[in-house]
């Protein structure tokens, strides 16, 4: 136990055995040299986590913990640095890096659950020295560099930022790749080595892309790699990407699809694009980046940026009575026949 409101300067595990965290932990650094540390779903806030056990067995279990790492990149010492083999169990955890230059480094490949770089300025980096690491979800709200090879379920880039993918490795994205800017904030996507293509592989899933300034990218896989009609193939240096939008493309704007208001509930509307200096003006009069509404209607927002560019978007919040699935009439199927059922809905938060 750490005790309530207790700050620890150096939290170091140097002995064999099992160590179970039973309170939240706030420390300057978490140093892991030996044994098993289980954060047990507790919140952990530190500048650094480092693991270097040499020949000692080291194991880290996160459970449902939310780790907030605030450290900057000092080279050898960074926010997350694993220099030896770590038995790592990410479970349903979230690891948030808050410093503008935060870096996640592992010498051996690890499997992460949800990793977020939440600062909106400067550049962060994920790096694996050898092997293929993985993320269930990796999100950058700032510019970023991906060094090494990864399998990523969902990869999310923010408008107005620059991203580099390792020129010597392949990034496999299995479910969702969001690399969409807007007419105020385009995204720069390039390779770590100019003139040498970095590779993205997708054999399924969804790409949400547009307003990209793209250079030295190679797309491979069984899906259509649509970069968006507003994206630019710089110098004709990209292969496999289609610089157009698919036929069924719908511009969701800042606020996304319309949403249904369930009984006795409220809906959170979020207009953030994670850009420095953005300001907001909602139809409700609010100047906050997010608002909560509990009445049906049409809501709009104006987002202004430091270069005097402005975006405006609206969203319809529907009453539950207006939520109707457009299924076809009853149909008789003969043996061997098939029928495609489409509910015909494009709404936020739906599951079927």
């Amino acid at each position: 136990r750490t005790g309530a409101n207790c700050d620890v300067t150096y939290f170091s595990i140097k002995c064999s055995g099992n160590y179970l965290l039973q309170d939240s932990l706030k420390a300057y650094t978490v140093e892991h040299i030996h044994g098993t540390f289980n954060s047990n779903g507790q919140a952990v806030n530190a500048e650094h986590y480092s693991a270097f056990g040499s020949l000692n067995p080291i194991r880290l279990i996160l459970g449902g913990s939310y780790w907030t790492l605030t450290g900057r990149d000092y080279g050898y010492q960074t926010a997350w640095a694993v220099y030896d083999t770590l038995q790592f169990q990410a479970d349903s955890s979230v690891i948030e890096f808050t410093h503008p230059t935060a870096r996640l480094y592992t010498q051996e490949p690890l499997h992460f659950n949800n990793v977020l770089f939440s600062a909106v300025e400067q550049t962060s980096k994920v790096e694996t020295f050898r092997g293929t690491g993985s993320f269930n979800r990796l999100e950058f709200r700032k510019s970023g560099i991906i060094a090494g090879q990864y399998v990523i379920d969902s990869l999310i880039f923010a408008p107005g930022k620059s991203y580099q993918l390792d020129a010597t490795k392949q990034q496999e994205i299995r479910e969702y790749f969001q690399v969409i800017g807007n007419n105020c904030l385009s995204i720069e996507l390039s390779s770590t080595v100019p003139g040498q293509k970095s590779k993205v592989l997708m054999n399924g899933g969804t790409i949400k892309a547009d307003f990209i300034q793209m250079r030295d990218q190679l797309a491979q896989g069984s899906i259509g790699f649509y970069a968006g009609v507003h994206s630019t193939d710089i110098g004709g240096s990209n292969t496999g990407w289609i610089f157009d939008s698919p036929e069924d493309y719908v511009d969701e704007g800042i606020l996304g699809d319309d949403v249904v208001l369930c009984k006795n509930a409220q809906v959170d509307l979020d207009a953030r694009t994670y850009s420095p200096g953005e300001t907001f003006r909602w139809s409700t009069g609010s100047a906050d980046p997010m608002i909560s509404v509990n009445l049906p209607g049409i809501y709009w927002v104006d987002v202004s940026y430091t270069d005097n560019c402005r975006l405006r978007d609206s969203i319809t919040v529907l009453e539950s009575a207006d939520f109707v699935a457009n299924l076809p009439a009853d149909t008789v199927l003969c043996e061997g026949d098939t029928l495609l059922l489409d509910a015909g809905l494009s709404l936020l938060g739906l599951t079927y």
Side-chain angles (χ1 to χ4, degrees), residues 179 209-212 214 225-231 241-244:
V179 55
D210 206 356
F211 295 96
I212 310 169
M214 189 184 296
F225 283 84
Y226 286 94
V229 69
H230 302 101
S231 295
W241 285 92
I242 304 167
F243 286 82
D244 201 350

Side-chain angles (χ1 to χ4, degrees), residues 16 139 181 192 207 224 237 248 281 294 324 327:
S16 62
E139 178 179 357
T192 54
I207 297 177
S237 61
D248 60 352
R281 183 169 66 91
N294 56 13
V324 179
L327 293 176

